[in-house]
Amino acid sequence: MTKVGESITFSVTMEDYTIYAVVERQSQDLLIQLIGGDVWHYGVVTAVSKDTEPQDINMPSRPGHVHQERVLTHALASVIRPVLQSNAFIVSGMHVNSITTAQMRVATKMARTLGEEIRDWVVAHPAAKLVETFAPSHHRNVGE
């Protein structure tokens, strides 16, 4: 087995459910899984960098509907964006069966709390910038 990148998991529990942020880092890029509740899944992808606004892909959830975790990914993204070294992809899916108003009300706060933990980790553990080299411009891409 080969070690690839690094990984750390954060969690927050409020109102009888837990949301997890599983953070994987490759070089200076982050892949964050924002998952939890009763049914973990992947329904929304949000891409963000320090210099770009969040961009989303919302997958279908049931006929006529798309996943709504964008609210959570954007809450998390707004906290980590100022300290990002490069790109971040937040993949999210969480479902709380028979969710209550109180549970719904704390979801964004939970995402922000996880964002604060990720932000603090990134600041305390910056990744070194690796040197990239490219082929000379006179080389053509395969297929051209």
mmCIF file of all heavy atoms in Angstrom, residues 30 44-57 73-74 77 80-81 84 86-91:
data_model
loop_
_atom_site.group_PDB
_atom_site.id
_atom_site.type_symbol
_atom_site.label_atom_id
_atom_site.label_comp_id
_atom_site.label_asym_id
_atom_site.label_seq_id
_atom_site.Cartn_x
_atom_site.Cartn_y
_atom_site.Cartn_z
ATOM 1 N N LEU A 30 -7.445 20.531 -1.570
ATOM 2 C CA LEU A 30 -8.249 19.821 -0.578
ATOM 3 C C LEU A 30 -9.465 19.170 -1.223
ATOM 4 O O LEU A 30 -10.100 19.762 -2.098
ATOM 5 C CB LEU A 30 -8.761 20.787 0.499
ATOM 6 C CG LEU A 30 -7.737 21.554 1.316
ATOM 7 C CD1 LEU A 30 -8.448 22.478 2.304
ATOM 8 C CD2 LEU A 30 -6.798 20.613 2.044
ATOM 9 N N VAL A 44 -23.983 16.925 -3.791
ATOM 10 C CA VAL A 44 -23.565 18.257 -4.239
ATOM 11 C C VAL A 44 -22.043 18.309 -4.256
ATOM 12 O O VAL A 44 -21.391 17.806 -3.342
ATOM 13 C CB VAL A 44 -24.107 19.358 -3.293
ATOM 14 C CG1 VAL A 44 -23.498 20.714 -3.596
ATOM 15 C CG2 VAL A 44 -25.617 19.431 -3.366
ATOM 16 N N VAL A 45 -21.500 18.925 -5.294
ATOM 17 C CA VAL A 45 -20.065 19.192 -5.360
ATOM 18 C C VAL A 45 -19.904 20.695 -5.495
ATOM 19 O O VAL A 45 -20.514 21.319 -6.373
ATOM 20 C CB VAL A 45 -19.401 18.493 -6.566
ATOM 21 C CG1 VAL A 45 -17.919 18.853 -6.629
ATOM 22 C CG2 VAL A 45 -19.593 16.993 -6.498
ATOM 23 N N THR A 46 -19.102 21.273 -4.628
ATOM 24 C CA THR A 46 -18.791 22.702 -4.698
ATOM 25 C C THR A 46 -17.287 22.843 -4.868
ATOM 26 O O THR A 46 -16.522 22.280 -4.081
ATOM 27 C CB THR A 46 -19.252 23.444 -3.431
ATOM 28 O OG1 THR A 46 -20.669 23.309 -3.308
ATOM 29 C CG2 THR A 46 -18.885 24.917 -3.477
ATOM 30 N N ALA A 47 -16.875 23.566 -5.896
ATOM 31 C CA ALA A 47 -15.462 23.856 -6.147
ATOM 32 C C ALA A 47 -15.205 25.315 -5.783
ATOM 33 O O ALA A 47 -16.015 26.186 -6.097
ATOM 34 C CB ALA A 47 -15.128 23.610 -7.608
ATOM 35 N N VAL A 48 -14.078 25.560 -5.121
ATOM 36 C CA VAL A 48 -13.756 26.921 -4.691
ATOM 37 C C VAL A 48 -12.242 27.064 -4.579
ATOM 38 O O VAL A 48 -11.527 26.081 -4.369
ATOM 39 C CB VAL A 48 -14.455 27.247 -3.338
ATOM 40 C CG1 VAL A 48 -13.917 26.403 -2.203
ATOM 41 C CG2 VAL A 48 -14.378 28.721 -3.013
ATOM 42 N N SER A 49 -11.762 28.283 -4.743
ATOM 43 C CA SER A 49 -10.370 28.617 -4.451
ATOM 44 C C SER A 49 -10.369 30.002 -3.811
ATOM 45 O O SER A 49 -11.410 30.663 -3.747
ATOM 46 C CB SER A 49 -9.516 28.606 -5.727
ATOM 47 O OG SER A 49 -9.767 29.759 -6.494
ATOM 48 N N LYS A 50 -9.196 30.418 -3.374
ATOM 49 C CA LYS A 50 -9.091 31.740 -2.755
ATOM 50 C C LYS A 50 -9.559 32.828 -3.715
ATOM 51 O O LYS A 50 -10.130 33.832 -3.309
ATOM 52 C CB LYS A 50 -7.647 31.985 -2.322
ATOM 53 C CG LYS A 50 -7.442 33.289 -1.580
ATOM 54 C CD LYS A 50 -5.991 33.506 -1.214
ATOM 55 C CE LYS A 50 -5.728 32.875 0.123
ATOM 56 N NZ LYS A 50 -4.407 33.227 0.678
ATOM 57 N N ASP A 51 -9.335 32.617 -5.029
ATOM 58 C CA ASP A 51 -9.620 33.643 -6.026
ATOM 59 C C ASP A 51 -10.890 33.420 -6.836
ATOM 60 O O ASP A 51 -11.177 34.198 -7.748
ATOM 61 C CB ASP A 51 -8.425 33.757 -6.989
ATOM 62 C CG ASP A 51 -7.149 34.131 -6.246
ATOM 63 O OD1 ASP A 51 -7.206 34.974 -5.330
ATOM 64 O OD2 ASP A 51 -6.093 33.559 -6.589
ATOM 65 N N THR A 52 -11.631 32.345 -6.551
ATOM 66 C CA THR A 52 -12.848 32.076 -7.316
ATOM 67 C C THR A 52 -14.041 31.871 -6.391
ATOM 68 O O THR A 52 -13.908 31.326 -5.299
ATOM 69 C CB THR A 52 -12.707 30.819 -8.209
ATOM 70 O OG1 THR A 52 -12.441 29.693 -7.380
ATOM 71 C CG2 THR A 52 -11.615 30.988 -9.238
ATOM 72 N N GLU A 53 -15.183 32.301 -6.859
ATOM 73 C CA GLU A 53 -16.434 32.073 -6.131
ATOM 74 C C GLU A 53 -16.786 30.589 -6.214
ATOM 75 O O GLU A 53 -16.411 29.916 -7.176
ATOM 76 C CB GLU A 53 -17.561 32.902 -6.758
ATOM 77 C CG GLU A 53 -17.393 34.394 -6.616
ATOM 78 C CD GLU A 53 -17.490 34.873 -5.189
ATOM 79 O OE1 GLU A 53 -18.290 34.310 -4.404
ATOM 80 O OE2 GLU A 53 -16.755 35.812 -4.837
ATOM 81 N N PRO A 54 -17.540 30.085 -5.254
ATOM 82 C CA PRO A 54 -17.955 28.679 -5.316
ATOM 83 C C PRO A 54 -18.774 28.380 -6.578
ATOM 84 O O PRO A 54 -19.584 29.193 -7.015
ATOM 85 C CB PRO A 54 -18.821 28.516 -4.069
ATOM 86 C CG PRO A 54 -18.366 29.593 -3.146
ATOM 87 C CD PRO A 54 -17.974 30.736 -4.032
ATOM 88 N N GLN A 55 -18.510 27.212 -7.146
ATOM 89 C CA GLN A 55 -19.251 26.705 -8.301
ATOM 90 C C GLN A 55 -19.814 25.347 -7.913
ATOM 91 O O GLN A 55 -19.109 24.541 -7.314
ATOM 92 C CB GLN A 55 -18.329 26.558 -9.503
ATOM 93 C CG GLN A 55 -17.658 27.862 -9.906
ATOM 94 C CD GLN A 55 -16.611 27.610 -10.970
ATOM 95 O OE1 GLN A 55 -16.844 26.910 -11.933
ATOM 96 N NE2 GLN A 55 -15.428 28.182 -10.777
ATOM 97 N N ASP A 56 -21.069 25.087 -8.272
ATOM 98 C CA ASP A 56 -21.762 23.894 -7.781
ATOM 99 C C ASP A 56 -22.239 22.968 -8.888
ATOM 100 O O ASP A 56 -22.585 23.416 -9.982
ATOM 101 C CB ASP A 56 -23.019 24.293 -6.988
ATOM 102 C CG ASP A 56 -22.702 25.220 -5.848
ATOM 103 O OD1 ASP A 56 -21.855 24.879 -5.020
ATOM 104 O OD2 ASP A 56 -23.306 26.318 -5.796
ATOM 105 N N ILE A 57 -22.314 21.708 -8.523
ATOM 106 C CA ILE A 57 -23.048 20.697 -9.280
ATOM 107 C C ILE A 57 -24.010 20.068 -8.283
ATOM 108 O O ILE A 57 -23.577 19.544 -7.247
ATOM 109 C CB ILE A 57 -22.123 19.618 -9.873
ATOM 110 C CG1 ILE A 57 -21.120 20.229 -10.843
ATOM 111 C CG2 ILE A 57 -22.958 18.525 -10.552
ATOM 112 C CD1 ILE A 57 -20.054 19.258 -11.309
ATOM 113 N N THR A 73 -22.330 23.465 1.930
ATOM 114 C CA THR A 73 -21.012 23.577 1.308
ATOM 115 C C THR A 73 -20.578 25.035 1.199
ATOM 116 O O THR A 73 -19.409 25.355 1.392
ATOM 117 C CB THR A 73 -20.963 22.893 -0.077
ATOM 118 O OG1 THR A 73 -21.890 23.516 -0.966
ATOM 119 C CG2 THR A 73 -21.252 21.404 0.033
ATOM 120 N N HIS A 74 -21.524 25.921 0.940
ATOM 121 C CA HIS A 74 -21.191 27.343 0.840
ATOM 122 C C HIS A 74 -20.859 27.929 2.209
ATOM 123 O O HIS A 74 -19.989 28.804 2.312
ATOM 124 C CB HIS A 74 -22.312 28.120 0.166
ATOM 125 C CG HIS A 74 -22.294 27.989 -1.326
ATOM 126 N ND1 HIS A 74 -22.222 29.067 -2.168
ATOM 127 C CD2 HIS A 74 -22.314 26.887 -2.123
ATOM 128 C CE1 HIS A 74 -22.216 28.646 -3.426
ATOM 129 N NE2 HIS A 74 -22.266 27.322 -3.409
ATOM 130 N N ALA A 77 -17.374 26.697 2.777
ATOM 131 C CA ALA A 77 -16.464 27.361 1.833
ATOM 132 C C ALA A 77 -16.176 28.802 2.247
ATOM 133 O O ALA A 77 -15.042 29.277 2.116
ATOM 134 C CB ALA A 77 -17.031 27.317 0.420
ATOM 135 N N ILE A 80 -13.363 28.709 4.908
ATOM 136 C CA ILE A 80 -12.023 28.242 4.528
ATOM 137 C C ILE A 80 -11.414 29.005 3.363
ATOM 138 O O ILE A 80 -10.190 29.014 3.201
ATOM 139 C CB ILE A 80 -12.009 26.731 4.213
ATOM 140 C CG1 ILE A 80 -12.817 26.399 2.961
ATOM 141 C CG2 ILE A 80 -12.481 25.927 5.421
ATOM 142 C CD1 ILE A 80 -12.633 24.982 2.447
ATOM 143 N N ARG A 81 -12.233 29.649 2.567
ATOM 144 C CA ARG A 81 -11.758 30.291 1.337
ATOM 145 C C ARG A 81 -10.571 31.242 1.553
ATOM 146 O O ARG A 81 -9.603 31.197 0.793
ATOM 147 C CB ARG A 81 -12.916 31.003 0.657
ATOM 148 C CG ARG A 81 -12.566 31.543 -0.692
ATOM 149 C CD ARG A 81 -13.805 32.090 -1.383
ATOM 150 N NE ARG A 81 -13.383 32.790 -2.587
ATOM 151 C CZ ARG A 81 -13.982 33.847 -3.077
ATOM 152 N NH1 ARG A 81 -15.072 34.317 -2.510
ATOM 153 N NH2 ARG A 81 -13.516 34.428 -4.152
ATOM 154 N N LEU A 84 -7.234 29.167 1.835
ATOM 155 C CA LEU A 84 -6.906 28.109 0.880
ATOM 156 C C LEU A 84 -5.581 28.413 0.192
ATOM 157 O O LEU A 84 -5.328 29.543 -0.208
ATOM 158 C CB LEU A 84 -8.011 27.957 -0.166
ATOM 159 C CG LEU A 84 -9.310 27.349 0.322
ATOM 160 C CD1 LEU A 84 -10.350 27.364 -0.791
ATOM 161 C CD2 LEU A 84 -9.093 25.928 0.837
ATOM 162 N N SER A 86 -4.707 26.533 -2.534
ATOM 163 C CA SER A 86 -4.972 26.237 -3.927
ATOM 164 C C SER A 86 -6.471 25.980 -4.083
ATOM 165 O O SER A 86 -7.264 26.821 -3.701
ATOM 166 C CB SER A 86 -4.128 25.036 -4.385
ATOM 167 O OG SER A 86 -4.234 24.870 -5.785
ATOM 168 N N ASN A 87 -6.835 24.817 -4.601
ATOM 169 C CA ASN A 87 -8.245 24.500 -4.863
ATOM 170 C C ASN A 87 -8.843 23.637 -3.762
ATOM 171 O O ASN A 87 -8.140 22.870 -3.119
ATOM 172 C CB ASN A 87 -8.370 23.729 -6.186
ATOM 173 C CG ASN A 87 -7.781 24.504 -7.336
ATOM 174 O OD1 ASN A 87 -8.046 25.682 -7.494
ATOM 175 N ND2 ASN A 87 -6.962 23.843 -8.131
ATOM 176 N N ALA A 88 -10.166 23.739 -3.609
ATOM 177 C CA ALA A 88 -10.885 22.844 -2.711
ATOM 178 C C ALA A 88 -12.149 22.366 -3.402
ATOM 179 O O ALA A 88 -12.832 23.145 -4.084
ATOM 180 C CB ALA A 88 -11.247 23.546 -1.400
ATOM 181 N N PHE A 89 -12.415 21.093 -3.256
ATOM 182 C CA PHE A 89 -13.652 20.490 -3.734
ATOM 183 C C PHE A 89 -14.376 19.962 -2.514
ATOM 184 O O PHE A 89 -13.814 19.172 -1.752
ATOM 185 C CB PHE A 89 -13.383 19.353 -4.731
ATOM 186 C CG PHE A 89 -12.773 19.842 -6.003
ATOM 187 C CD1 PHE A 89 -11.397 19.914 -6.147
ATOM 188 C CD2 PHE A 89 -13.579 20.269 -7.047
ATOM 189 C CE1 PHE A 89 -10.822 20.388 -7.316
ATOM 190 C CE2 PHE A 89 -13.018 20.752 -8.217
ATOM 191 C CZ PHE A 89 -11.635 20.800 -8.352
ATOM 192 N N ILE A 90 -15.604 20.411 -2.319
ATOM 193 C CA ILE A 90 -16.413 19.955 -1.195
ATOM 194 C C ILE A 90 -17.519 19.084 -1.765
ATOM 195 O O ILE A 90 -18.337 19.556 -2.564
ATOM 196 C CB ILE A 90 -17.008 21.148 -0.407
ATOM 197 C CG1 ILE A 90 -15.914 22.139 -0.012
ATOM 198 C CG2 ILE A 90 -17.771 20.639 0.815
ATOM 199 C CD1 ILE A 90 -16.429 23.483 0.463
ATOM 200 N N VAL A 91 -17.514 17.820 -1.393
ATOM 201 C CA VAL A 91 -18.514 16.862 -1.855
ATOM 202 C C VAL A 91 -19.412 16.579 -0.660
ATOM 203 O O VAL A 91 -18.931 16.148 0.396
ATOM 204 C CB VAL A 91 -17.852 15.563 -2.361
ATOM 205 C CG1 VAL A 91 -18.905 14.605 -2.877
ATOM 206 C CG2 VAL A 91 -16.817 15.865 -3.426
#
